[in-house]
Amino acid sequence: MAEGLFKEGIAAARLSPEKYADNFSDLHPPLDHHEALVESDRCYFCYDAPCMQACPTSIDIPLFIRQISTGNPIGSAKTIFDQNILGGMCARVCPTETLCEEVCVREVAEGKPVQIGRLQRYATDVAMAQNKQFYERANNTGKKVAVVGAGPAGLAAAHRLARYGHEVTVLEAREKSGGLNEYGIAAYKSTDNFAQAEVDYVTAIGGISIVNGKALGRDYALSDLTASYDAVFLGLGLTGVNALRAEGEESDGVENAVEFIAELRQARDLSALEVGRRVVVIGGGMTAIDAAVQSKLLGAEEVTICYRRGKEHMNASEFEQDLATSKGVTIRHWMQPKMVVAENGRVAGIELEYTAMAGEKLAGTGKTLRLEADQVFKAIGQSFDPASLNGSGASIAMEAGRIKVDAEGRTSLPKVWAGGDCIFGGDDLTVSGVAQGRDAAESIHLALMGG
Amino acid sequence: MADIRNNFVGIKSPNPFWLASAPPTDKAYNVIRAFKAGWGGVVWKTLGEEGPPVVNVNGPRYGAIWGADRRLLGLNNIELITDRDLFVNLREIKQVKKDWPDRAVVVSLMVPCEEHSWKAILPLVEETEADGIELNFGCPHGMSERGMGSAVGQVPEYIEMVARWCKQYTRMPVIVKLTPNITDIRYPARAAMRGGADAVSLINTITSITSVNLDSFSPEPSIDGKGSHGGYCGPAVKPIALNMVAQIARDRETHGLPISGIGGVTTWRDAAEFLALGAGNVQVCTAAMTYGFKIVQEMIEGLKNWMDEKGHANLDSIIGRATPNVTEWQHLNLNYVAKAHIDQDACIKCGRCHIACEDTSHQAITSMVDGKRHFEVIEEECVGCNLCVNVCPVENCITMDPLAPGELDRRTGKTVSPIYANWTEHPNNPMAKVAAE
């Protein structure tokens, strides 16, 4: 991967034009018809299937795979969408290796699970290519629901509410809808503008109007919504980025990984995108992997992920770690950032301190290492920024920095539900956001129609 | 090294694998390729009487069913007997036999059910110095509409009559090929024996429609929107063929009548099973048509390896070894009690044994124990039916373990008797009671 043109510092156009297309093509190319038949036949149609239990949206996986095997991909897609209207994106981005495929009995038996994610993509692709819509809106209930955030949780909630005949307005702060599906996922996992195609597919049911460029706390307050809607669903996501808490963090060249990923996804011309010659990514989750891999794919010469604990503690799945190393990323463990070394205000390197467990706690050892770097990405987690909720009158109850909800997604405020990454207990997965949005919509529907 | 040389009604071949009368043995070109590949013999594709040859359809002749990954499980055909000139065939047969004296060359025949027709063709075949003839009383499609093929094979009296003519007009061994499209295979076999036939071969293909095109509503294979039943063969028919071979092998009347086993033989193992049930050799078609002639190498070596491993010196030491173990249901030992046992280390927890037993059988397998998915046999309920073994995707994970005499059968609460006891003696059998009184 070191075939990039030699350019010092942070620079664009490190690769030949065709190399960009190659590097950012589909990570998992779709299964063709015959491959899908063969793969679907591997499924044992388990009773009380572990894969189904492991799916946050409880998709009936044995059934949808059997439907593929019998030449009924449309029926299969309906089985998927019944539980997860964003089944197309989840098929692409779910860490299946730690969810359904991890517990597949074939994984247990032979270390080779049924490729559930790719089969799900096959079925949903067939249905979406035909714009096959499975759901009709119920008669208009006259109830209005506001959904804040057009990410996975918000879209799932909006779709389920629209099915029940409620009128849904989705308010989205960004230019485009889709949330992290549009802005937060590596480009090679969602090619061909899939996130937008999916937004169109979900909203095609009708009864959902999305207003982009409207940010909570800036353009309107939560109290405005509770005053004019029958119910509100908050799918705000996370907007804060955790700091390194290292000296020199403000130097030029120290950037948030999430912004780099978003910028890359939105870039029309990848060769215009700048990346460092030597890139260091601090963190151990999916965001760290996505930023590191894409830096390498953009032509960075050296990319190093530094994580403060061991390999087994990384949030990124083993598959993701292997993906990174296969692309030439070096992953270093047990080291934390101590100081960003700057020259003339620009990053020139980073000083890291080796860590070790001191009893139950992680502690610096005092031994350090300096890596040369001209770009440092922060990927040590995101935080919920509650400022947007200010001015809502009564304050919403929080837990560990995120919105507190009950089992049905109700917040402490009447008429207000929440789901996705902004709630406490969220696990930062698209599929979990979908489940929470869908379930909150069920709760909202009950509340609106019961009362 | 095991000796697999075959002597079938005096016809010698270096191994017991013959190609059945079918497209693979249509002409010298194919047969020579087969002999080069190692086949022990061929039954030349059926010749008809002198005159204009039959014509075949000009659309598809075959239909099939498949497993996953398009593994061919069953093949169906509507091809007729040879559509080549009789004398071209005869010349080729003569030349091939001359060039390959160590291989078996048997000629399949189908002419109208009249004495003069058989009397006319037999000397022509004899002149080729072929090793024998096989009477095609089996093809269930096309020719049967003209009073030949299975139309003859379904009437034992005709079988006997034609077999007798053939024995009368030729010195060659006569093999009668039987159709399975009949209620009891023993009747045509007995008829062949009465007619003096040297052997029977079976099964010919089974009347079938493989599938229906759900767009055009035409049966497959579709000829201009219409379909006709064909003859079904391939791996799917093997169990039917095995049973019919065994029925003839153990029938009091036909016991000892040589049998050439046909029907879904695909591997050495299939062949060994036919031999064990009493076949003197086997004939193969679909496997060759699926994979080419080379498969015979696997069959030859596989059979030899198994025989060496088990200490069987030659084919005679395996032929018919399983026949005595085939019996009527009423003679099965009702005091043999087996229980399923699940090897928890091998279990991958798919739950198929549970749901099969729970929904369709005896509710004898758990799905949850102490809040965990756990599949275990409930001996109090297990009748030993073997369904769980058959649906389990892991070989040898579930086994049927017999209870030893004296052990408690927790389902019945009785101890297992060491004495053999069958239905004919069972108190619930009204016939047994009558006998006792």
Side-chain angles (χ1 to χ4, degrees), chain A residues 34 37-38 41 43-50 53 105-106 108-109, chain B residues 68-70 347-352 354-355 367-368 373 375 393-394:
Chain A
H34 181 74
L37 285 183
V38 173
D41 190 69
C43 174
Y44 288 139
F45 200 68
C46 294
Y47 169 74
D48 186 21
Q53 308 297 333
V105 301
R106 285 258 188 191
V108 178
Chain B
D69 208 5
R70 297 274 291 185
C347 176
I348 60 171
K349 297 185 166 53
C350 68
R352 278 168 52 161
H354 163 79
I355 201 62
S367 63
M368 195 72 78
R373 290 174 84 246
F375 304 96
V394 181

Side-chain angles (χ1 to χ4, degrees), chain B residues 7 50 53 86 102 105 119 134 150 163 182 186 199 212 242 244 285-286 293 304 310 313 347 367 377 383 385 398:
Chain B
N7 183 341
E50 190 182 344
L86 173 64
D102 70 322
V105 178
K119 194 177 173 183
E134 184 182 78
S150 65
I182 189 161
R186 290 172 299 186
V212 175
L242 284 178
M244 290 185 166
C285 172
T286 308
F293 291 143
K304 280 186 191 167
K310 300 289 180 183
C347 176
S367 63
V377 175
V383 304
C385 77
I398 311 182

Side-chain angles (χ1 to χ4, degrees), chain B residues 146-166:
Chain B
R146 307 173 199 179
M148 292 181 268
S150 65
V152 178
Q154 286 165 339
V155 184
E157 292 77 9
Y158 290 173
I159 293 174
E160 182 178 345
M161 178 176 75
V162 178
R164 188 165 285 127
W165 292 336
C166 291

